[in-house]
Amino acid sequence: MNDKACGCTCAEEASEEELLARLDDVIADYKDKPGALIPVLQMAQAIFGYLPESALKKISLGLGKPYSEVAGVVGFYSFFSTQPRGKHMVRVCLGTACYVRGGKNVLEALKDKLGVDVGGTTEDRQFSLEVARCFGACGLAPAIMIDDQVYQRVKPTRVQAILDQYRNAEAAAR
Amino acid sequence: MPTVTIDNVRVEVPAGTTILDAAKQAGVKVPTLCYLKDVQAIGACRVCLVEVQGARTLVASCVTPVADGMVVHTNTKRARGARRTVVELLLSDHQGDCQTCERNDDCELQALARDLGINDITYVGAKSTRYVDDSTPALIRDTGKCVLCRRCVTVCGEVQGVGGIFPQNRGFATVVGPAFDLNLHDIVCVQCGQCAAVCPVGAITERDHIQDVWEALDDPTKTVVVQTAPAIRAALGECFGYPPGTLVTGKMVSALRRIGFDAVFDTNFAADLTILEEGTELLTRLKNALVDGKPVALPMFTSCSPGWIKFIEYFYPDMLANVSTCKSPQQMFGAIAKTYYAEKIGKKPEDMIVVSVMPCTAKKFEAQRPEMNASGVQDVDYVLTTRELGRMIKQAGIDFDRLPDDTMDSPIGMSSGAADIFANTGGVMEAALRTVYEIVTGKPFPFEDLHVKPIAGLEGIKEAAVTIEETTPEWAFLKGVTVRTAVAHGLGNARQLIERVREGLSTYHFIEIMTCPGGCIGGGGQPRFTTNETRLARIQAIYKEDEGKTLRKSHENPEIKHIYEEFLGKPNSKKSHELLHTHYHERAKV
């Protein structure tokens, strides 16, 4: 598995200070440009894997935008997350086809195996769980997606094996 | 100029006029909710929808400009139905009990429901989560009553340049508030209450201290005195149906006496005291800079407005040395009442209760700042806004119309016209100049009617310069010096002025800042709604009060002379510093 697929650029390896220093560079680039807030938030999320409070406060001060406005924009777009995301993003389709073919049961199994609710992240920061609407795989419903890999005709009993692939790849990499 | 027909009335209006304003001219009233003259027109609430002939959809009249030949119908079935739906949907998610709401009978949503004839809400379903933020001494925020009109967001962010609140989340989960469920106490809120002044409903209100004041009045062991800020007398009448700008000083004193205060005093007295203290401080700073070559923080900023103080503590903490160390008149009064006056009447500070009536919500915050206890106890116990005093007078069953005129008590109730004009933008500066000029030159203040015209009025940032041609021997170092002053009102303007000073684009000796647009007469605790016309009417009344007095300069006030002789010594004395001066501290911006 490609480690980068999680969308984070290796948050584990760099210290928070180093990441904040990278954010400083981004802010310096965008400081006086109109409409800078959303691109800076996107880049900050790429740097940290999510949007921690320290980053949001830095963005507010750096761009001279009220903290309330920064929070308002973060809260408006579902793309932004203020919670740490796992290394792997698990998305369960609950579009019409997947829903009627048991997507909900797959979701329940994932919740059970991961021990988190929708929107949550496992304690080892390996997996985050989200619900999605349609990957265009309706013919092979129910579908789930882990990072950019789609799994089709998933049954609740298959969930453990799928997750194990990622856990084993992780162990092998160590 | 385009000609439009609105409900069969033809009107000619300047290009760019909105349908809403054109309708007003045609004598047609279109209901509105999020719209607020001079503040916001964003077409968010959809209450002002009208039908334009040839247009596919209904349009929001507050943001749609007229076009030549446009035919508008405001009262069609479709327009009425749409408005009704909008208001019904708002009501279906409104968690207010009108009878117990502070805005009962003064609520735009209630009035809309009545005017649109809504007597049944056909939509039932989930309600938004209600959260009451009572974290500050000044304001209460109730999300259950919020209609998401965003007036407060515009006022806080654009007019005041603070940006404490903003729409958070999305869709049904939207709330207007600070970032991430924080409370007003935890953020850069300066508690100016401009949000409460523009809220159409009861979603942001002042924290009501009426009950505390009734309890103090009912306690036989307490001596309860009251002070009223200069801006109250030009606005209180509005609570009883008088037009803006009606002076009700005498009736106000009568009402306070009938409510049961043991003595009725005037914050104006302390405003005169402020001029002596602040004027002397300015002259001392100038002397240090010009004669002794000492490093001195100039320009000096006025310090009367507690919202402004909190603002500079958050946003420009590196300039706190520039702020006058003088307490505001409210706090000077409290300190004097619980020391000088308490001694005179043989009471201990802890047996006295000082109540203020202020046009301001930030004064509630200021009163409980931990450093405001020069008498050994909290110097000012309770602060009522103008609106609260109006309600209290009604609660007491007083017929305001029929009240006779009365006068303030002695020895801390007399004041000059210079103190009256503390109420409006430019007034503190003018009052200070009247005194400082005469102290330095020994000559009468040379302005017509004693008014410094360039710093009067509603322009956001104003300037005036006074050249000192002759001086008394003591102030010879100021001979030929041009004292440059600036005035800003509304914190957004204050921010612009400060940025100009910081960039070195302008240099001044003395700057007056008032938190609210128009100054205290436009304060967050004044009767609703304060438009620019209201501001001008109240300012005019204040100038009239000033001009009607024979005593118009702070340093000529005999009670002020007396308190220095008897108690304080001289301005900026050790005792003055203990009682009348304070310090400030930096606050985190996020």
Side-chain angles (χ1 to χ4, degrees):
Chain A
M1 271 296 131
N2 179 3
D3 280 352
K4 304 272 181 191
C6 59
C8 92
T9 40
C10 306
E12 286 86 352
E13 283 128 44
S15 71
E16 186 172 323
E17 286 76 48
E18 286 165 331
L19 296 178
L20 286 170
R22 282 164 61 187
L23 178 59
D24 279 332
D25 295 341
V26 171
I27 291 170
D29 281 351
Y30 278 82
K31 198 172 173 17
D32 298 313
K33 292 183 185 156
L37 181 56
I38 289 176
V40 169
L41 286 170
Q42 286 172 318
M43 279 178 265
Q45 185 154 296
I47 290 170
F48 292 87
Y50 71 111
L51 292 168
E53 194 180 300
S54 56
L56 292 173
K57 289 187 169 173
K58 200 178 254 297
I59 290 169
S60 164
L61 291 172
L63 297 180
K65 286 268 176 210
Y67 191 47
S68 66
E69 186 177 339
V70 173
V73 170
V74 169
F76 186 85
Y77 294 104
S78 60
F79 174 81
F80 294 125
S81 171
T82 55
Q83 297 302 316
R85 292 270 172 105
K87 197 165 182 182
H88 303 290
M89 177 57 70
V90 182
R91 291 189 172 86
V92 181
C93 182
L94 288 183
T96 311
C98 291
Y99 189 90
V100 299
R101 296 193 60 178
K104 215 160 178 214
N105 297 334
V106 175
L107 177 64
E108 289 308 316
L110 277 163
K111 279 199 214 167
D112 181 48
K113 298 292 176 206
L114 293 172
V116 298
D117 246 324
V118 173
T121 297
T122 55
E123 259 177 40
D124 61 5
R125 297 271 303 268
Q126 285 299 308
F127 298 99
S128 286
L129 182 62
E130 292 287 355
V131 162
R133 309 271 174 223
C134 199
F135 310 135
C138 311
L140 299 162
I144 69 169
M145 220 173 141
I146 300 186
D147 302 332
D148 46 13
Q149 175 78 41
V150 179
Y151 295 85
Q152 297 155 341
R153 285 189 179 151
V154 181
K155 291 189 173 66
T157 48
R158 242 184 89 203
V159 161
Q160 185 67 60
I162 294 172
L163 293 176
D164 284 347
Q165 285 176 34
Y166 290 84
R167 290 221 162 94
N168 294 340
E170 189 66 22
R174 285 205 195 104
Chain B
M1 290 211 295
T3 302
V4 288
T5 308
I6 300 175
D7 293 351
N8 300 322
V9 180
R10 278 168 66 87
V11 281
E12 203 182 338
V13 291
T17 305
T18 61
I19 296 176
L20 182 68
D21 286 336
K24 211 168 283 167
Q25 206 175 307
V28 173
K29 189 184 165 203
V30 180
T32 55
L33 183 59
C34 70
Y35 172 82
L36 188 62
K37 192 169 178 288
D38 305 330
V39 174
Q40 166 172 284
I42 54 170
C45 73
R46 318 312 282 176
V47 168
C48 70
L49 291 174
V50 295
E51 201 161 349
V52 173
Q53 215 165 291
R56 188 175 53 86
T57 60
L58 298 171
V59 300
S61 60
C62 73
V63 288
T64 310
V66 296
D68 194 36
M70 194 183 247
V71 179
V72 180
H73 299 284
T74 72
N75 190 27
T76 59
K77 187 179 177 196
R78 194 172 162 217
R80 280 198 313 271
R83 272 180 222 143
R84 199 190 165 90
T85 303
V86 166
V87 175
E88 262 191 62
L89 283 168
L90 284 171
L91 289 169
S92 75
D93 190 26
H94 184 72
Q95 301 174 62
D97 310 307
C98 289
Q99 298 89 333
T100 53
C101 180
E102 194 206 291
R103 297 299 296 273
N104 188 16
D105 217 20
D106 172 34
C107 170
E108 289 179 58
L109 185 62
Q110 198 182 43
L112 266 178
R114 184 190 56 222
D115 292 352
L116 299 183
I118 295 171
N119 38 30
D120 187 25
I121 297 159
T122 42
Y123 303 101
V124 279
K127 290 202 187 255
S128 309
T129 315
R130 181 178 197 173
Y131 175 71
V132 178
D133 171 1
D134 61 353
S135 61
T136 70
L139 297 163
I140 308 275
R141 197 170 62 86
D142 182 344
T143 67
K145 292 179 182 170
C146 179
V147 293
L148 304 175
C149 73
R150 289 156 173 75
R151 283 182 187 176
C152 55
V153 175
T154 303
V155 162
C156 188
E158 288 171 31
V159 179
Q160 296 297 62
V162 170
I165 49 177
F166 201 79
Q168 307 291 332
N169 309 317
R170 183 177 192 161
F172 196 63
T174 305
V175 287
V176 169
F180 304 116
D181 301 330
L182 291 171
N183 282 326
L184 292 176
H185 172 77
D186 308 316
I187 62 156
V188 292
C189 174
V190 302
Q191 301 182 28
C192 69
Q194 284 297 313
C195 51
V198 298
C199 183
V201 294
I204 308 186
T205 60
E206 66 268 36
R207 181 187 280 274
D208 189 316
H209 286 100
I210 294 175
Q211 204 47 43
D212 301 293
V213 175
W214 281 128
E215 273 165 34
L217 289 166
D218 287 339
D219 183 345
T221 67
K222 301 288 184 195
T223 300
V224 188
V225 304
V226 64
Q227 57 166 325
T228 57
I232 314 301
R233 60 209 70 184
L236 179 65
E238 293 165 46
C239 299
F240 302 95
Y242 291 81
T246 310
L247 278 172
V248 294
T249 320
K251 283 180 188 294
M252 174 182 75
V253 176
S254 285
L256 291 166
R257 243 185 252 298
R258 288 210 188 165
I259 282 171
F261 289 101
D262 294 302
V264 180
F265 292 128
D266 206 338
T267 313
N268 280 15
F269 167 83
D272 279 335
L273 197 55
T274 303
I275 288 301
L276 272 288
E277 291 294 325
E278 197 161 289
T280 306
E281 184 185 356
L282 176 68
L283 289 171
T284 307
R285 288 194 194 212
L286 290 175
K287 183 162 186 280
N288 285 345
L290 297 171
V291 180
D292 306 329
K294 287 187 200 159
V296 173
L298 284 171
M300 185 172 92
F301 291 113
T302 57
S303 56
C304 304
S305 185
W308 148 244
I309 295 299
K310 209 162 176 247
F311 180 87
I312 192 169
E313 287 179 326
Y314 282 123
F315 295 103
Y316 299 100
D318 58 332
M319 295 182 89
L320 286 174
N322 293 67
V323 182
S324 163
T325 58
C326 287
K327 287 180 183 171
S328 71
Q330 158 172 285
Q331 293 306 135
M332 284 200 187
F333 181 92
I336 291 295
K338 288 199 180 177
T339 55
Y340 173 72
Y341 178 69
E343 245 176 77
K344 273 194 183 300
I345 59 166
K347 295 279 174 190
K348 287 189 272 189
E350 49 271 35
D351 293 330
M352 291 203 44
I353 298 287
V354 173
V355 176
S356 304
V357 185
M358 293 284 143
C360 182
T361 53
K363 289 279 172 196
K364 290 176 185 268
F365 167 80
E366 182 188 46
Q368 55 78 66
R369 284 180 74 120
E371 57 272 23
M372 296 299 173
N373 57 356
S375 64
V377 293
Q378 188 170 319
D379 294 329
V380 174
D381 297 275
Y382 304 113
V383 179
L384 302 175
T385 59
T386 316
R387 295 190 293 261
E388 283 168 275
L389 177 59
R391 294 203 293 275
M392 206 168 170
I393 292 170
K394 287 175 189 165
Q395 284 173 23
I398 295 168
D399 184 349
F400 194 79
D401 285 340
R402 292 176 55 191
L403 284 173
D405 285 345
D406 199 346
T407 51
M408 308 271 183
D409 291 317
S410 217
I412 46 177
M414 188 187 275
S415 64
S416 73
D420 286 307
I421 58 173
F422 264 60
N424 47 258
T425 171
V428 173
M429 183 59 74
E430 184 174 306
L433 289 175
R434 286 183 193 175
T435 286
V436 168
Y437 186 90
E438 297 201 354
I439 288 178
V440 169
T441 64
K443 299 234 156 40
F445 192 56
F447 286 80
E448 193 194 336
D449 263 350
L450 303 182
H451 294 315
V452 186
K453 290 262 159 61
I455 52 171
L458 288 182
E459 179 114 16
I461 299 174
K462 298 165 284 188
E463 295 180 335
V466 181
T467 302
I468 296 168
E469 269 143 21
E470 285 172 74
T471 68
T472 61
E474 192 190 349
W475 304 103
F477 68 93
L478 285 171
K479 199 173 158 77
V481 170
T482 299
V483 178
R484 283 185 302 275
T485 68
V487 169
H489 59 112
L491 292 172
N493 292 322
R495 192 187 275 279
Q496 274 183 38
L497 178 59
I498 293 174
E499 291 295 338
R500 254 157 62 177
V501 169
R502 289 169 79 91
E503 285 169 30
L505 297 175
S506 310
T507 50
Y508 304 103
H509 298 102
F510 193 20
I511 296 179
E512 174 205 288
I513 308 276
M514 291 192 190
T515 302
C516 294
C520 310
I521 51 93
Q526 291 282 60
R528 297 178 180 93
F529 281 96
T530 302
T531 61
N532 279 341
E533 285 92 84
T534 321
R535 288 185 182 96
L536 288 170
R538 291 177 189 156
I539 289 173
Q540 212 160 32
I542 292 290
Y543 280 131
K544 198 171 128 201
E545 183 89 334
D546 165 34
E547 286 158 10
K549 286 185 179 171
T550 43
L551 183 65
R552 294 186 62 197
K553 295 161 191 167
S554 300
H555 57 288
E556 291 176 352
N557 180 343
E559 285 188 355
I560 294 289
K561 287 183 188 169
H562 192 68
I563 198 176
Y564 277 112
E565 279 160 22
E566 193 179 46
F567 186 66
L568 292 168
K570 56 186 180 56
N572 293 11
S573 68
K574 187 164 175 290
K575 190 145 201 174
S576 287
H577 268 285
E578 282 165 14
L579 293 177
L580 309 179
H581 290 253
T582 187
H583 53 272
Y584 312 106
H585 58 84
E586 179 171 359
R587 294 171 194 271
K589 210 187 296 182
V590 290

